[in-house]
Amino acid sequence: GLMTHKKMIYGGAAVFLLGLIIWAIVTVPETPSPDAPSGPRIMSYENNTIHEERDGRTVWTLTAKRVNVDIDTNDTTMQGIEGTFYSADGRTLALQADEGHMDSATRNIVLTGSIEATTSDGASLRAQELKWTSAEGVLTAEGDAEITRDDICATGDRIASTDEFQRFTITGNARVEKGGAK
């Protein structure tokens, strides 16, 4: 009857809409306008840098090959990340990660995948996940976390620091080994 015919048309329209959304995400323009009526609610940028400042001081910068911003929540996901965290005393932590996510409300960042980080005072850091807790200014390396500095190698489930890993706390399977003089 008439009802099934209506359903068919509606189903076809839904499929068409989904196709439109996928197409719009793939072919998003360089300068997306958030108020485009029919477009998706994601803005994409290539090679974009985001950063946070506090009291006129840059706290961190992250450059990603691709950045997607959800217009409704403002949450940000990133792929192919290179970043730098700046401590108040001028030291820095440079990092690379495959993926990242920033919560717009808390400004917390979670970086994942092949994380490699080095500090300007010669420490290197590896972990499965690196979290930035904005409110406390804490960097936490999680999942097989390992820090090597001078002749010390520290490993644990979580290694947290408020000063770019000059001083840090280890929780879970904590082990600190001193090597010989280099």
Side-chain angles (χ1 to χ4, degrees):
L2 198 59
M3 287 306 287
T4 47
H5 188 59
K6 264 194 179 146
K7 259 200 192 115
M8 274 299 290
I9 292 171
Y10 180 74
V15 169
F16 171 71
L17 190 68
L18 188 66
L20 195 69
I21 289 170
I22 291 167
W23 174 82
I25 290 171
V26 171
T27 61
V28 77
E30 275 304 299
T31 51
S33 62
D35 50 12
S38 63
R41 307 292 295 174
I42 298 281
M43 295 193 293
S44 281
Y45 306 94
E46 301 283 321
N47 296 318
N48 200 30
T49 300
I50 59 175
H51 70 278
E52 182 176 359
E53 279 186 26
R54 271 189 213 173
D55 312 321
R57 182 177 78 78
T58 300
V59 184
W60 54 259
T61 61
L62 293 174
T63 301
K65 291 195 178 77
R66 186 167 196 83
V67 177
N68 294 328
V69 181
D70 185 306
I71 294 164
D72 297 309
T73 65
N74 241 353
D75 287 354
T76 304
T77 52
M78 299 159 275
Q79 280 126 23
I81 300 160
E82 291 188 17
T84 309
F85 282 79
Y86 302 91
S87 68
D89 62 14
R91 283 173 314 98
T92 58
L93 175 119
L95 64 89
Q96 288 178 309
D98 292 340
E99 291 186 284
H101 178 87
M102 184 175 76
D103 184 300
S104 64
T106 59
R107 309 288 289 175
N108 291 351
I109 299 168
V110 179
L111 302 173
T112 52
S114 309
I115 292 164
E116 298 274 334
T118 51
T119 65
S120 55
D121 54 3
S124 65
L125 169 74
R126 283 211 310 269
Q128 288 169 9
E129 226 176 56
L130 189 62
K131 290 183 180 172
W132 165 253
T133 310
S134 185
E136 286 104 58
V138 176
L139 272 169
T140 308
E142 289 200 12
D144 302 324
E146 178 184 302
I147 288 180
T148 314
R149 188 175 66 224
D150 303 328
D151 63 342
I152 293 174
C153 178
T155 56
D157 294 340
R158 298 178 62 191
I159 305 179
S161 173
T162 54
D163 59 7
E164 279 58 43
F165 296 99
Q166 188 174 27
R167 290 183 303 276
F168 47 83
T169 54
I170 310 172
T171 48
N173 297 310
R175 232 175 53 236
V176 178
E177 290 178 20
K178 267 190 180 299
K182 291 213 165 149

